[in-house]
Amino acid sequence: MGKKINVTIWNEFRHEKTDDAVKALYPDGIHAYLKSVLECDELNITLAALDDPDQGLPDDVLNSTDVLVWWAHMYHWDVTEELANKIRDRVLGGMGLILLHSAHYSKVIQKVVGMTGHLTWGDEVKEVVWNINPTHPIAAGIPTHFILPKEEIYGEPFQIPEPDELVFIGWYETGHVFRSGCTWRRGYGKVFYFQPGHESVPTYYNKYVQRIIKNAIFWAAPTGDEGYQIQYGSPYIGGKFVPDGEIEGFAK
Ligand code: ZN
């Protein structure tokens, strides 16, 4: 096993301070709860919140993050353009990005994936999450389907670019359906959007939901052993180019 994967879990962390129902489920915040269930030897997990200095992602944190997990809902527009652009550039350069629930409307997903995120939405009802891609790494350990007794309806049409891979489809007792687990490749980075995770229901307590997020982190992480140095987004050629031999000074 190589070096640990640096994971940063970013959360608006505002609902948990103002809404009693959310506070009861996640007293230290959704991000802290996710950290507590994801922690393992292979992951080095950092927490970040919108109201932290530099909106939780100063350059040294962002630039050392291998996989960024993003939970956001009501304050997408408080995230600065500058930060959203930096995150986009990091993903294009290889950082993994996991977008949870209402991050479908985040500046980050709009900039990285290229989408409005418009969808049909409604009440909290029973959802059946169907695993339609059982050999995909993100679906490891997940049965054919599992049930969330209450989840917010996110229904089609979902205004997204065609996903590279669909891993999960959600069906609601109202009859709505949704592409609940989608992957995209953007630049050198891997992106996963996962729909379950409304703040006022205990979705993140579900062991399959936890497993999916953990699987996605390992799937999205860059190898950590890239064979050449990237500088300003491009392979760095430091030395003299020798056409029929090794490139001198093409140092790692
Ligand atoms: Zn929600």
Side-chain angles (χ1 to χ4, degrees):
M1 187 71 208
K3 73 177 183 73
K4 288 189 177 199
I5 299 170
N6 287 327
V7 179
T8 303
I9 306 177
W10 189 97
N11 179 15
E12 283 178 359
F13 196 25
R14 287 186 179 170
H15 290 291
E16 298 94 328
K17 295 170 182 164
T18 56
D19 184 318
D20 287 341
V22 184
K23 197 188 293 183
L25 283 170
Y26 304 110
D28 300 317
I30 286 173
H31 55 334
Y33 182 77
L34 288 174
K35 178 179 177 178
S36 74
V37 297
L38 294 172
E39 254 170 347
C40 60
D41 288 346
E42 296 87 352
L43 303 180
N44 175 32
I45 302 176
T46 300
L47 298 180
L50 178 57
D51 295 320
D52 289 350
D54 298 311
Q55 305 202 312
L57 291 172
D59 287 350
D60 60 324
V61 173
L62 181 60
N63 292 335
S64 62
T65 296
D66 299 310
V67 180
L68 178 64
V69 179
W70 193 266
W71 193 97
H73 185 211
M74 294 293 281
Y75 304 98
H76 301 305
W77 302 106
D78 287 1
V79 175
T80 65
E81 285 291 305
E82 187 192 5
L83 177 59
N85 286 337
K86 283 182 188 174
I87 293 168
R88 175 200 61 203
D89 292 349
R90 284 282 296 133
V91 175
L92 297 180
M95 182 179 75
L97 180 63
I98 315 292
L99 297 140
L100 298 176
H101 187 55
S102 37
H104 72 94
Y105 260 156
S106 63
K107 271 187 195 176
V108 173
I109 202 170
Q110 290 172 340
K111 283 178 183 289
V112 171
V113 178
M115 55 185 270
T116 65
H118 293 316
L119 48 70
T120 303
W121 62 279
D123 294 338
E124 294 165 16
V125 300
K126 181 166 86 178
E127 178 182 6
V128 181
V129 180
W130 287 94
N131 171 5
I132 61 163
N133 202 338
T135 60
H136 195 283
I138 297 176
I142 306 303
T144 56
H145 67 284
F146 60 94
I147 294 170
L148 299 170
K150 290 263 183 240
E151 188 42 81
E152 184 181 26
I153 297 169
Y154 276 12
E156 299 285 342
F158 184 24
Q159 205 173 92
I160 53 175
E162 196 67 30
D164 294 340
E165 299 161 309
L166 260 182
V167 188
F168 302 104
I169 286 179
W171 174 90
Y172 302 85
E173 61 181 318
T174 50
H176 294 89
V177 293
F178 193 67
R179 288 169 286 177
S180 292
C182 306
T183 77
W184 295 273
R185 192 71 192 245
R186 288 293 181 269
Y188 299 125
K190 290 177 181 166
V191 180
F192 179 60
Y193 170 76
F194 189 49
Q195 158 263 318
H198 188 56
E199 67 278 1
S200 59
V201 294
T203 292
Y204 292 124
Y205 287 60
N206 181 288
K207 64 181 177 178
Y208 296 125
V209 169
Q210 296 171 4
R211 178 77 191 263
I212 288 165
I213 295 169
K214 184 177 265 190
N215 287 342
I217 288 169
F218 283 97
W219 167 82
T223 64
D225 190 25
E226 290 77 19
Y228 53 79
Q229 190 178 62
I230 295 176
Q231 189 167 315
Y232 309 117
S234 293
Y236 174 61
I237 301 174
K240 196 174 80 183
F241 181 66
V242 182
D244 57 356
E246 293 290 315
I247 300 174
E248 287 173 29
F250 199 142
K252 191 175 172 181

